[in-house]
């Protein structure tokens, strides 16, 4: 399998058209999902998606299969391109944090609850209140089922830092939902 991947990477480095098409065909949907979770508008997400593959093909020589899978490497590019797009093109977005919401005194331990549509809707609404970086952390872990090590690679961090961020963001989500019921 590793030899097959090395051959594929070699073809991409040579600019083989069929290999480039295969890269987009094989990894395009997953990359687009990551981009779309960070970039709100469909048209903007499509633009960023294209930029991800242009950047990936330009930088394929720097890909190291010992550090990450090709999928994880592409997700790293998608993550950073998406956040850069949001920062540059959407500087007027204002995100609420715990202090803005007056959440400092709320209990941090979530109560066990049934999986009903109301809770899911509240969670989705709370997710939308988070900055793109925090939304990406949650979606990589829960929707993409990425390990902390893969997330750390994508984010340019280390697994323990990502784990701490994930814990903090989960508590923040709980507080946002809890504040709606206060």
């Amino acid at each position: 399998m590793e030899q097959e991947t090395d051959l594929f990477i070699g073809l991409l480095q040579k600019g083989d058209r069929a290999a480039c098409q295969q890269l987009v065909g094989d990894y395009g949907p997953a990359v687009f999902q990551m981009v779309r979770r960070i970039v709100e508008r469909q048209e903007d997400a499509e633009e960023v998606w294209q930029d991800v593959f242009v950047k990936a093909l330009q930088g394929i020589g720097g890909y190291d299969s010992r550090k990450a899978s090709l999928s994880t490497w592409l997700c790293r590019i998608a993550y950073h391109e998406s956040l850069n797009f949001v920062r540059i093109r959407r500087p007027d977005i204002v995100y609420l944090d715990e202090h803005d919401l007056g959440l400092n005194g709320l209990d941090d331990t979530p109560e066990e609850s049934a999986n009903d549509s109301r809770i899911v809707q509240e969670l989705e609404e709370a997710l939308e209140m988070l900055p793109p970086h925090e939304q990406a952390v949650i979606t990589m872990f829960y929707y993409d089922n990425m390990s902390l090590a893969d997330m750390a690679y994508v984010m340019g961090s280390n697994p323990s830092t990502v784990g701490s961020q994930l814990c903090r963001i989960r508590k923040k989500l709980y507080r946002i939902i809890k504040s709606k019921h206060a």
Side-chain angles (χ1 to χ4, degrees), residues 83-163:
L83 288 181
N84 286 339
F85 178 86
V86 171
R87 284 185 196 125
I88 292 168
R89 303 245 170 97
R90 304 280 312 261
D92 57 336
I93 295 176
V94 176
Y95 294 99
L96 301 175
D97 65 16
E98 296 170 21
H99 302 292
D100 296 330
L101 295 169
L103 303 173
N104 295 331
L106 295 176
D107 184 8
D108 289 343
T109 307
E111 298 173 5
E112 296 295 322
S113 62
N115 282 336
D116 64 19
S117 59
R118 183 183 56 79
I119 300 234
V120 172
Q121 181 179 358
E122 287 178 358
L123 182 57
E124 289 172 354
E125 289 171 2
L127 271 170
E128 290 175 9
M129 295 177 75
L130 298 176
H133 165 75
E134 292 178 353
Q135 289 178 13
V137 170
I138 293 295
T139 57
M140 281 188 278
F141 189 77
Y142 288 105
Y143 293 98
D144 299 334
N145 297 315
M146 292 179 92
S147 68
L148 292 178
D150 284 347
M151 290 172 62
Y153 177 80
V154 167
M155 296 164 55
S157 187
N158 64 59
S160 61
T161 301
V162 173

Side-chain angles (χ1 to χ4, degrees), residues 40-93:
E40 289 182 12
R41 289 187 45 221
Q42 176 81 17
E43 298 81 15
D44 293 338
E46 290 169 359
E47 179 182 332
V48 172
W49 179 82
Q50 290 175 358
D51 292 345
V52 167
F53 282 100
V54 168
K55 190 167 191 170
L57 290 169
Q58 289 173 341
I60 194 70
Y63 169 69
D64 184 353
S65 62
R66 295 170 298 187
K67 290 185 179 179
S69 68
L70 187 56
S71 174
T72 301
W73 183 74
L74 288 168
C75 283
R76 178 183 178 126
I77 296 170
Y79 170 79
H80 289 287
E81 286 296 305
S82 298
L83 288 181
N84 286 339
F85 178 86
V86 171
R87 284 185 196 125
I88 292 168
R89 303 245 170 97
R90 304 280 312 261
D92 57 336
I93 295 176

Side-chain angles (χ1 to χ4, degrees), residues 1-64:
M1 183 73 170
E2 187 175 326
Q3 190 174 20
E4 188 177 302
T5 301
D6 290 342
L7 177 62
F8 182 61
I9 298 300
L11 290 171
L12 289 170
Q13 289 173 341
K14 292 177 184 175
D16 182 82
R17 186 179 184 102
C20 294
Q21 289 174 339
Q22 182 180 345
L23 179 73
V24 173
D26 290 351
Y27 298 97
V31 168
F32 187 75
Q33 277 185 332
M34 171 162 278
V35 170
R36 191 66 173 97
R37 288 185 190 121
I38 299 171
V39 178
E40 289 182 12
R41 289 187 45 221
Q42 176 81 17
E43 298 81 15
D44 293 338
E46 290 169 359
E47 179 182 332
V48 172
W49 179 82
Q50 290 175 358
D51 292 345
V52 167
F53 282 100
V54 168
K55 190 167 191 170
L57 290 169
Q58 289 173 341
I60 194 70
Y63 169 69
D64 184 353

